[in-house]
Amino acid sequence: MCCGLAAVLGMLVHVQVTDQTVGAARSRALARLTQATRAYEAGARLPRRTGVDLPGLPERLRELAEDGQRGTMVGTGDHRAAMWAAGPADGGRALAVRVDYAQGADIIAGLDRAILWSSALAIGATLFVGAFAVTRVTRRLQDTAQVARRISAGDLDARVADPRAADRARPQDEVAAVAGALDTMAATLQGKLLTEQRFTADVAHELRTPLTGLHAAAELLPPGRPTELVRDRVAALRTLTEDLLEISRLDTRRERLELGSERLVPLAERVVRACGARTEVRVVRDTRVETDRRRLERVLGNLVANAHRHGRGPVVLTVDGPRVTVRDHGDGYPDYLLAHGPQRFRTESGGKGHGLGLTIALGQAEVLGARLEFANAPGGGAVAVLTLPERVRPAADDGSEIPRPRPRTGPRPRPDCRS
């Protein structure tokens, strides 16, 4: 708008001054043409720069005079800008007057240069100030958007911390209002999630003691069908409690890896044997990866167990370098899981389980730095694809040095096979 306003004002000034300058020169030329006409009709000597059919007279003006009309036109004369005025003379000729217009042309040219320079200076200053102001605003907006993305990715400690929003005494603009609202929302959300996590962890811890006693009491019951049912339910409740504890540890995002060099094919075969159910292992390309063995076994074990529990055979585990795929031939994953990922305590109607197996697998995969994706195969069946980080080595028993594992700082997941 500032640039457009400067251009419009420059054009208006140019038009106004040009009209005034040209009008004054035209008036002088017509006045001299009147005097020359009178002298020509009286047979007196014509003034200087006046004559019949003067050289340099513009052709259009000559035609106008020959038609019996008077007119003026800006042209050149003696290599200088001139204002020409012409009228009819006897014999179909043109009586012309030339008035020096160089000064007026210089005035207009100087004015145009002044307008261009002043407009360029004003536009440059406006753009500089505007860019500086807009950059400050856009930078603050970009920082706010970046914090929002970090929060959506799970970093609830991220804050914008806009100084304008923190200091209520300073003027509050729209960006500060958005930043303050985002920080308040993040703090509220973090508080609620921490409360939920503490509740889950506290419940799981409180259940461990009575469950231990209940398990010991169940072992003392006499053999029989009722005893088997009690022991089975106690084991299921104990498994659920351990899963809740593991989820609460994953929610804190403080798990540490115990890295070691592992070959994927032998590890996958151990997981399949631990599950007990018939699972085919296909090897496209074996590789050695640096990973936490027990966490990886936990992820693969949960994926295989989920395929057997909720899908149909055959269940196939395929190792292709750092990419491990588990597929069954059942009805596939439900739509909500494909759209939003695994959700706790949500399974398809009539299905068994608590929806914690895939949740734990996804959480442990994030700890490993791996990517776990869920999809349905075109020919039917559920497909889970685990892509490990690109810390890979060719699988070969060449006696190469195995990286020393880091010290363990927290509980490790059990390498069992549960969904």
Short mmCIF file of all heavy atoms in Angstrom, two decimals, residues 31-79:
data_model
loop_
_atom_site.label_atom_id
_atom_site.label_comp_id
_atom_site.label_asym_id
_atom_site.label_seq_id
_atom_site.Cartn_x
_atom_site.Cartn_y
_atom_site.Cartn_z
N ALA A 31 0.01 33.36 -28.07
CA ALA A 31 0.07 34.83 -28.05
C ALA A 31 1.01 35.34 -29.13
O ALA A 31 0.69 36.33 -29.86
CB ALA A 31 0.52 35.30 -26.68
N ARG A 32 2.14 34.69 -29.29
CA ARG A 32 3.08 35.11 -30.33
C ARG A 32 2.51 34.82 -31.72
O ARG A 32 2.78 35.57 -32.69
CB ARG A 32 4.42 34.41 -30.15
CG ARG A 32 5.18 34.87 -28.90
CD ARG A 32 6.57 34.30 -28.86
NE ARG A 32 7.34 34.75 -30.03
CZ ARG A 32 8.60 34.37 -30.26
NH1 ARG A 32 9.21 33.56 -29.41
NH2 ARG A 32 9.23 34.82 -31.33
N LEU A 33 1.74 33.74 -31.85
CA LEU A 33 1.12 33.45 -33.15
C LEU A 33 0.11 34.54 -33.50
O LEU A 33 -0.01 34.94 -34.68
CB LEU A 33 0.44 32.07 -33.10
CG LEU A 33 -0.27 31.64 -34.39
CD1 LEU A 33 0.74 31.55 -35.56
CD2 LEU A 33 -0.98 30.30 -34.19
N THR A 34 -0.63 35.05 -32.52
CA THR A 34 -1.59 36.14 -32.77
C THR A 34 -0.86 37.40 -33.25
O THR A 34 -1.28 38.07 -34.22
CB THR A 34 -2.39 36.43 -31.50
OG1 THR A 34 -3.08 35.24 -31.10
CG2 THR A 34 -3.40 37.53 -31.75
N GLN A 35 0.25 37.73 -32.57
CA GLN A 35 1.03 38.89 -32.99
C GLN A 35 1.59 38.69 -34.41
O GLN A 35 1.60 39.61 -35.24
CB GLN A 35 2.18 39.14 -32.02
CG GLN A 35 1.72 39.52 -30.61
CD GLN A 35 2.88 39.65 -29.64
OE1 GLN A 35 4.04 39.45 -30.02
NE2 GLN A 35 2.57 39.98 -28.39
N ALA A 36 2.10 37.48 -34.68
CA ALA A 36 2.66 37.22 -36.00
C ALA A 36 1.60 37.30 -37.08
O ALA A 36 1.86 37.78 -38.21
CB ALA A 36 3.33 35.84 -36.01
N THR A 37 0.38 36.86 -36.75
CA THR A 37 -0.71 36.92 -37.74
C THR A 37 -1.04 38.37 -38.08
O THR A 37 -1.26 38.71 -39.26
CB THR A 37 -1.93 36.17 -37.20
OG1 THR A 37 -1.58 34.82 -36.91
CG2 THR A 37 -3.07 36.19 -38.21
N ARG A 38 -1.09 39.18 -37.05
CA ARG A 38 -1.38 40.59 -37.29
C ARG A 38 -0.27 41.24 -38.14
O ARG A 38 -0.54 42.01 -39.08
CB ARG A 38 -1.51 41.33 -35.97
CG ARG A 38 -2.76 40.95 -35.18
CD ARG A 38 -2.72 41.61 -33.82
NE ARG A 38 -3.90 41.21 -33.01
CZ ARG A 38 -4.05 41.52 -31.72
NH1 ARG A 38 -3.10 42.25 -31.11
NH2 ARG A 38 -5.12 41.13 -31.09
N ALA A 39 0.98 40.96 -37.80
CA ALA A 39 2.09 41.53 -38.58
C ALA A 39 2.07 41.02 -40.01
O ALA A 39 2.35 41.77 -40.97
CB ALA A 39 3.41 41.19 -37.92
N TYR A 40 1.73 39.71 -40.22
CA TYR A 40 1.69 39.13 -41.56
C TYR A 40 0.59 39.77 -42.39
O TYR A 40 0.77 40.09 -43.57
CB TYR A 40 1.48 37.62 -41.44
CG TYR A 40 1.41 36.91 -42.76
CD1 TYR A 40 2.57 36.65 -43.49
CD2 TYR A 40 0.17 36.51 -43.29
CE1 TYR A 40 2.49 36.01 -44.72
CE2 TYR A 40 0.10 35.87 -44.50
CZ TYR A 40 1.26 35.60 -45.21
OH TYR A 40 1.18 34.96 -46.42
N GLU A 41 -0.58 39.98 -41.74
CA GLU A 41 -1.69 40.59 -42.46
C GLU A 41 -1.40 42.06 -42.77
O GLU A 41 -1.86 42.60 -43.79
CB GLU A 41 -2.98 40.47 -41.64
CG GLU A 41 -3.47 39.03 -41.52
CD GLU A 41 -4.67 38.94 -40.58
OE1 GLU A 41 -4.97 39.95 -39.89
OE2 GLU A 41 -5.29 37.84 -40.51
N ALA A 42 -0.64 42.76 -41.89
CA ALA A 42 -0.30 44.17 -42.13
C ALA A 42 0.90 44.32 -43.06
O ALA A 42 1.27 45.45 -43.42
CB ALA A 42 -0.02 44.86 -40.80
N GLY A 43 1.52 43.25 -43.43
CA GLY A 43 2.67 43.28 -44.31
C GLY A 43 3.93 43.72 -43.61
O GLY A 43 4.92 44.07 -44.28
N ALA A 44 3.90 43.72 -42.25
CA ALA A 44 5.09 44.12 -41.49
C ALA A 44 6.06 42.95 -41.39
O ALA A 44 5.78 41.81 -41.76
CB ALA A 44 4.67 44.60 -40.11
N ARG A 45 7.21 43.28 -40.83
CA ARG A 45 8.25 42.26 -40.67
C ARG A 45 7.83 41.30 -39.56
O ARG A 45 7.39 41.73 -38.48
CB ARG A 45 9.58 42.94 -40.33
CG ARG A 45 10.73 41.97 -40.23
CD ARG A 45 11.99 42.73 -39.92
NE ARG A 45 13.11 41.82 -39.79
CZ ARG A 45 14.36 42.20 -39.51
NH1 ARG A 45 14.63 43.53 -39.36
NH2 ARG A 45 15.32 41.31 -39.41
N LEU A 46 8.00 40.02 -39.81
CA LEU A 46 7.61 39.00 -38.82
C LEU A 46 8.64 38.94 -37.69
O LEU A 46 9.85 39.15 -37.93
CB LEU A 46 7.49 37.64 -39.49
CG LEU A 46 6.36 37.50 -40.53
CD1 LEU A 46 6.41 36.13 -41.17
CD2 LEU A 46 5.01 37.78 -39.90
N PRO A 47 8.18 38.65 -36.46
CA PRO A 47 9.13 38.53 -35.34
C PRO A 47 10.10 37.36 -35.57
O PRO A 47 9.92 36.52 -36.43
CB PRO A 47 8.23 38.29 -34.13
CG PRO A 47 6.88 38.76 -34.56
CD PRO A 47 6.80 38.52 -36.03
N ARG A 48 11.11 37.32 -34.69
CA ARG A 48 12.11 36.25 -34.74
C ARG A 48 11.46 34.91 -34.42
O ARG A 48 10.55 34.83 -33.60
CB ARG A 48 13.23 36.57 -33.73
CG ARG A 48 14.40 35.61 -33.79
CD ARG A 48 15.54 36.19 -32.98
NE ARG A 48 16.64 35.22 -32.88
CZ ARG A 48 17.03 34.61 -31.77
NH1 ARG A 48 16.43 34.91 -30.63
NH2 ARG A 48 18.03 33.76 -31.79
N ARG A 49 11.93 33.86 -35.04
CA ARG A 49 11.42 32.49 -34.90
C ARG A 49 9.96 32.38 -35.33
O ARG A 49 9.19 31.59 -34.80
CB ARG A 49 11.55 31.98 -33.46
CG ARG A 49 13.00 31.88 -32.98
CD ARG A 49 13.05 31.41 -31.56
NE ARG A 49 14.43 31.34 -31.08
CZ ARG A 49 14.77 31.02 -29.84
NH1 ARG A 49 13.83 30.75 -28.94
NH2 ARG A 49 16.05 30.99 -29.50
N THR A 50 9.62 33.24 -36.30
CA THR A 50 8.28 33.22 -36.86
C THR A 50 8.42 33.28 -38.38
O THR A 50 9.30 33.97 -38.92
CB THR A 50 7.46 34.42 -36.38
OG1 THR A 50 7.44 34.44 -34.96
CG2 THR A 50 6.04 34.35 -36.90
N GLY A 51 7.56 32.53 -39.08
CA GLY A 51 7.63 32.57 -40.53
C GLY A 51 6.63 31.61 -41.14
O GLY A 51 5.90 30.90 -40.44
N VAL A 52 6.60 31.66 -42.45
CA VAL A 52 5.69 30.79 -43.19
C VAL A 52 6.47 29.54 -43.58
O VAL A 52 7.57 29.61 -44.15
CB VAL A 52 5.16 31.52 -44.43
CG1 VAL A 52 4.25 30.60 -45.24
CG2 VAL A 52 4.40 32.78 -44.03
N ASP A 53 5.85 28.39 -43.25
CA ASP A 53 6.45 27.08 -43.54
C ASP A 53 7.88 27.00 -43.01
O ASP A 53 8.85 26.71 -43.75
CB ASP A 53 6.43 26.81 -45.05
CG ASP A 53 5.02 26.62 -45.59
OD1 ASP A 53 4.14 26.24 -44.78
OD2 ASP A 53 4.81 26.83 -46.79
N LEU A 54 7.99 27.26 -41.71
CA LEU A 54 9.31 27.19 -41.07
C LEU A 54 9.86 25.77 -41.12
O LEU A 54 9.10 24.79 -40.98
CB LEU A 54 9.22 27.64 -39.61
CG LEU A 54 9.11 29.15 -39.34
CD1 LEU A 54 8.98 29.40 -37.83
CD2 LEU A 54 10.33 29.88 -39.88
N PRO A 55 11.16 25.64 -41.31
CA PRO A 55 11.75 24.30 -41.26
C PRO A 55 11.59 23.70 -39.86
O PRO A 55 11.70 24.38 -38.85
CB PRO A 55 13.23 24.56 -41.59
CG PRO A 55 13.25 25.88 -42.27
CD PRO A 55 12.15 26.70 -41.67
N GLY A 56 11.34 22.41 -39.78
CA GLY A 56 11.19 21.71 -38.50
C GLY A 56 9.77 21.70 -37.98
O GLY A 56 9.51 21.12 -36.91
N LEU A 57 8.82 22.40 -38.70
CA LEU A 57 7.43 22.41 -38.25
C LEU A 57 6.87 20.98 -38.31
O LEU A 57 6.97 20.31 -39.35
CB LEU A 57 6.60 23.33 -39.16
CG LEU A 57 5.10 23.41 -38.84
CD1 LEU A 57 4.88 24.05 -37.47
CD2 LEU A 57 4.37 24.23 -39.94
N PRO A 58 6.29 20.46 -37.20
CA PRO A 58 5.73 19.10 -37.21
C PRO A 58 4.69 18.93 -38.31
O PRO A 58 3.90 19.84 -38.59
CB PRO A 58 5.11 18.94 -35.81
CG PRO A 58 5.86 19.91 -34.97
CD PRO A 58 6.20 21.08 -35.87
N GLU A 59 4.71 17.81 -39.00
CA GLU A 59 3.85 17.58 -40.15
C GLU A 59 2.37 17.63 -39.79
O GLU A 59 1.56 18.18 -40.55
CB GLU A 59 4.21 16.22 -40.78
CG GLU A 59 3.57 15.98 -42.13
CD GLU A 59 4.06 17.00 -43.17
OE1 GLU A 59 5.21 17.47 -43.06
OE2 GLU A 59 3.27 17.32 -44.07
N ARG A 60 2.02 17.09 -38.64
CA ARG A 60 0.61 17.10 -38.23
C ARG A 60 0.12 18.53 -38.00
O ARG A 60 -1.01 18.85 -38.33
CB ARG A 60 0.43 16.26 -36.96
CG ARG A 60 0.64 14.77 -37.16
CD ARG A 60 0.43 14.01 -35.87
NE ARG A 60 -0.90 14.24 -35.31
CZ ARG A 60 -1.28 13.85 -34.12
NH1 ARG A 60 -0.41 13.22 -33.31
NH2 ARG A 60 -2.50 14.08 -33.69
N LEU A 61 0.99 19.36 -37.42
CA LEU A 61 0.61 20.75 -37.19
C LEU A 61 0.51 21.52 -38.51
O LEU A 61 -0.36 22.39 -38.69
CB LEU A 61 1.64 21.41 -36.27
CG LEU A 61 1.23 22.74 -35.62
CD1 LEU A 61 -0.04 22.57 -34.81
CD2 LEU A 61 2.35 23.27 -34.72
N ARG A 62 1.36 21.18 -39.48
CA ARG A 62 1.30 21.82 -40.80
C ARG A 62 -0.03 21.47 -41.48
O ARG A 62 -0.69 22.34 -42.06
CB ARG A 62 2.47 21.34 -41.65
CG ARG A 62 2.53 22.01 -43.03
CD ARG A 62 3.59 21.31 -43.89
NE ARG A 62 4.89 21.35 -43.25
CZ ARG A 62 5.71 22.40 -43.35
NH1 ARG A 62 5.36 23.47 -44.05
NH2 ARG A 62 6.90 22.35 -42.77
N GLU A 63 -0.43 20.19 -41.39
CA GLU A 63 -1.70 19.79 -42.01
C GLU A 63 -2.87 20.49 -41.35
O GLU A 63 -3.84 20.86 -42.03
CB GLU A 63 -1.85 18.27 -41.92
CG GLU A 63 -0.80 17.49 -42.72
CD GLU A 63 -0.89 16.00 -42.48
OE1 GLU A 63 -1.73 15.60 -41.62
OE2 GLU A 63 -0.15 15.23 -43.12
N LEU A 64 -2.79 20.67 -40.03
CA LEU A 64 -3.87 21.36 -39.33
C LEU A 64 -3.99 22.81 -39.80
O LEU A 64 -5.10 23.33 -40.00
CB LEU A 64 -3.60 21.30 -37.81
CG LEU A 64 -4.70 21.83 -36.89
CD1 LEU A 64 -5.94 20.94 -36.98
CD2 LEU A 64 -4.20 21.89 -35.44
N ALA A 65 -2.84 23.48 -39.95
CA ALA A 65 -2.87 24.89 -40.40
C ALA A 65 -3.36 24.99 -41.84
O ALA A 65 -4.09 25.93 -42.19
CB ALA A 65 -1.48 25.49 -40.25
N GLU A 66 -2.95 24.07 -42.70
CA GLU A 66 -3.39 24.10 -44.08
C GLU A 66 -4.89 23.89 -44.19
O GLU A 66 -5.51 24.33 -45.16
CB GLU A 66 -2.64 23.05 -44.88
CG GLU A 66 -1.16 23.37 -45.08
CD GLU A 66 -0.42 22.25 -45.76
OE1 GLU A 66 -1.03 21.16 -45.95
OE2 GLU A 66 0.78 22.41 -46.09
N ASP A 67 -5.48 23.23 -43.19
CA ASP A 67 -6.94 23.04 -43.17
C ASP A 67 -7.66 24.24 -42.61
O ASP A 67 -8.89 24.21 -42.43
CB ASP A 67 -7.29 21.80 -42.35
CG ASP A 67 -6.86 20.52 -43.05
OD1 ASP A 67 -6.66 20.56 -44.27
OD2 ASP A 67 -6.72 19.48 -42.36
N GLY A 68 -6.93 25.30 -42.27
CA GLY A 68 -7.55 26.53 -41.78
C GLY A 68 -7.74 26.58 -40.28
O GLY A 68 -8.54 27.38 -39.79
N GLN A 69 -7.05 25.73 -39.51
CA GLN A 69 -7.19 25.72 -38.06
C GLN A 69 -5.87 26.11 -37.41
O GLN A 69 -4.81 26.06 -38.03
CB GLN A 69 -7.64 24.33 -37.58
CG GLN A 69 -8.96 23.87 -38.19
CD GLN A 69 -9.35 22.49 -37.69
OE1 GLN A 69 -8.90 22.07 -36.63
NE2 GLN A 69 -10.16 21.80 -38.46
N ARG A 70 -5.98 26.46 -36.13
CA ARG A 70 -4.80 26.79 -35.34
C ARG A 70 -4.55 25.68 -34.32
O ARG A 70 -5.48 25.05 -33.83
CB ARG A 70 -4.97 28.12 -34.61
CG ARG A 70 -5.30 29.28 -35.53
CD ARG A 70 -5.59 30.53 -34.76
NE ARG A 70 -4.40 31.01 -34.06
CZ ARG A 70 -4.40 32.05 -33.23
NH1 ARG A 70 -5.55 32.68 -32.97
NH2 ARG A 70 -3.30 32.45 -32.65
N GLY A 71 -3.28 25.50 -33.98
CA GLY A 71 -2.95 24.48 -33.01
C GLY A 71 -1.53 24.62 -32.50
O GLY A 71 -0.75 25.43 -33.02
N THR A 72 -1.23 23.84 -31.45
CA THR A 72 0.10 23.85 -30.86
C THR A 72 0.59 22.42 -30.70
O THR A 72 -0.22 21.47 -30.61
CB THR A 72 0.10 24.54 -29.48
OG1 THR A 72 -0.78 23.83 -28.62
CG2 THR A 72 -0.32 26.00 -29.59
N MET A 73 1.90 22.25 -30.63
CA MET A 73 2.48 20.93 -30.45
C MET A 73 3.91 21.08 -29.95
O MET A 73 4.63 22.00 -30.38
CB MET A 73 2.47 20.13 -31.75
CG MET A 73 3.08 18.74 -31.66
SD MET A 73 3.01 17.85 -33.23
CE MET A 73 1.24 17.56 -33.34
N VAL A 74 4.29 20.16 -29.05
CA VAL A 74 5.66 20.14 -28.55
C VAL A 74 6.51 19.35 -29.53
O VAL A 74 6.16 18.24 -29.93
CB VAL A 74 5.74 19.52 -27.14
CG1 VAL A 74 7.19 19.44 -26.67
CG2 VAL A 74 4.92 20.33 -26.16
N GLY A 75 7.63 19.93 -29.92
CA GLY A 75 8.52 19.26 -30.84
C GLY A 75 9.95 19.69 -30.59
O GLY A 75 10.33 20.00 -29.44
N THR A 76 10.74 19.75 -31.65
CA THR A 76 12.13 20.16 -31.54
C THR A 76 12.42 21.25 -32.54
O THR A 76 11.75 21.36 -33.59
CB THR A 76 13.08 18.98 -31.79
OG1 THR A 76 12.82 18.45 -33.10
CG2 THR A 76 12.91 17.90 -30.73
N GLY A 77 13.40 22.05 -32.21
CA GLY A 77 13.86 23.10 -33.11
C GLY A 77 15.26 23.50 -32.76
O GLY A 77 15.53 23.80 -31.58
N ASP A 78 16.14 23.50 -33.74
CA ASP A 78 17.56 23.77 -33.48
C ASP A 78 18.10 22.82 -32.40
O ASP A 78 18.86 23.23 -31.50
CB ASP A 78 17.78 25.23 -33.04
CG ASP A 78 17.41 26.21 -34.14
OD1 ASP A 78 17.45 25.81 -35.32
OD2 ASP A 78 17.05 27.36 -33.81
N HIS A 79 17.64 21.55 -32.47
CA HIS A 79 18.10 20.49 -31.56
C HIS A 79 17.75 20.79 -30.09
O HIS A 79 18.41 20.32 -29.19
CB HIS A 79 19.62 20.30 -31.69
CG HIS A 79 20.07 20.03 -33.09
ND1 HIS A 79 19.81 18.86 -33.74
CD2 HIS A 79 20.75 20.84 -33.98
CE1 HIS A 79 20.31 18.90 -34.97
NE2 HIS A 79 20.89 20.11 -35.14
#
